[in-house]
Amino acid sequence: MSVPPEDLASVSSLDDPVRRRLYQIISERPGPVGRDEAAEAAGVGRALAVYHLDKLVESGLLTASYLRPAGRGGPGAGRPAKLYARSEREFAVTVPARHYELAARLLVQVVDSDPSGHSRAALVDAARVFGTELGSQHRAGAGPDLECALAEHGYEPRCDSDGVIRLRNCPFHQLAEQHRELVCGMNLGLLEGLLAGLEVTGCCAVLDPRPGHCCVAIGPARS
């Protein structure tokens, strides 16, 4: 196999149910999580949580940082608390090895290099049609549950207090890093189609890039 051994080891480490649960908890939080909070959320003892959290850091799935509690500093403030967050690294394991991302990069480069803009427009149209098909299929099965449909396709939706659904993960992150305008436009078309296929009313997909989030947000429709 040409699978990188470190990637295989990292993904395999999630086979442990406690470790997998802790990883899920950390991934779902909007900011870094302390040891006590993670242990309580997972329903395990602190020592066991610390062991698995540190193993997740060793595997590259989590990152660790240290921070003193707010308002405490100087001598006698105590040791900084160790906090955990999901790593920005990506891991891919396919057996036998496949390189779909390479094909995607080549195709995106071709579309992005078309000076006429016709290829770009065709891509957005295709994304919108495909998104509509996905939405229709989901509605026929699980029903018109927008957040469920988004999660099913890797978006990790979180609803803000203002009613806007922001997406903590972009399924096309690596492509967007190199071809942001093109890929974000494709992503917008895909999610516009998904809303249409789900027959969701009262909201719309808009470009609203923010650090640590997908470039598209879904908010109340404007008249």
Side-chain angles (χ1 to χ4, degrees):
M1 295 189 300
S2 62
V3 176
E6 61 274 15
D7 282 14
L8 184 59
S10 296
V11 175
S12 298
S13 71
L14 292 175
D15 185 55
D16 183 284
V18 175
R19 198 168 299 178
R20 185 167 61 250
R21 175 61 180 147
L22 285 166
Y23 178 76
Q24 181 180 8
I25 290 166
I26 302 298
S27 298
E28 290 175 348
R29 296 297 195 272
V33 180
R35 290 170 161 178
D36 291 334
E37 181 184 352
E40 182 179 358
V44 299
R46 187 180 190 277
L48 181 61
V50 168
Y51 171 79
H52 285 295
L53 288 168
D54 287 340
K55 286 295 183 182
L56 287 167
V57 172
E58 289 179 15
S59 69
L61 292 166
L62 297 182
T63 59
S65 59
Y66 294 87
L67 182 69
R68 291 189 187 278
R72 297 179 62 181
R79 297 175 60 186
K82 192 171 186 178
L83 305 176
Y84 300 86
R86 183 168 63 179
S87 171
E88 291 296 322
R89 289 180 58 188
E90 295 183 3
F91 301 86
V93 176
T94 56
V95 181
R98 297 289 187 259
H99 296 282
Y100 301 114
E101 186 179 338
L102 174 59
R105 288 181 184 277
L106 294 172
L107 291 169
V108 165
Q109 287 179 11
V110 170
V111 173
D112 218 10
S113 64
D114 178 6
S116 71
H118 296 326
S119 297
R120 183 187 299 261
L123 175 63
V124 173
D125 288 343
R128 191 174 289 111
V129 169
F130 186 70
T132 303
E133 293 173 354
L134 289 179
S136 298
Q137 292 170 8
H138 187 89
R139 179 168 49 82
D145 188 326
L146 174 57
E147 292 194 33
C148 180
L150 290 167
E152 184 176 312
H153 297 289
Y155 282 100
E156 297 186 6
R158 299 289 183 273
C159 189
D160 283 358
S161 57
D162 56 3
V164 175
I165 297 177
R166 304 198 183 276
L167 310 170
R168 292 193 61 230
N169 182 53
C170 173
F172 318 110
H173 175 72
Q174 292 296 337
L175 287 177
E177 286 293 293
Q178 297 187 14
H179 302 272
R180 186 167 302 278
E181 184 179 351
L182 174 64
V183 175
C184 289
M186 176 194 74
N187 197 9
L188 177 62
L190 179 68
L191 292 178
E192 286 175 341
L194 184 69
L195 291 173
L198 287 168
E199 296 184 357
V200 174
T201 59
C203 63
C204 63
V206 295
L207 286 175
D208 186 16
R210 296 190 176 194
H213 290 74
C214 176
C215 60
V216 181
I218 298 174
R222 299 174 180 175
S223 57

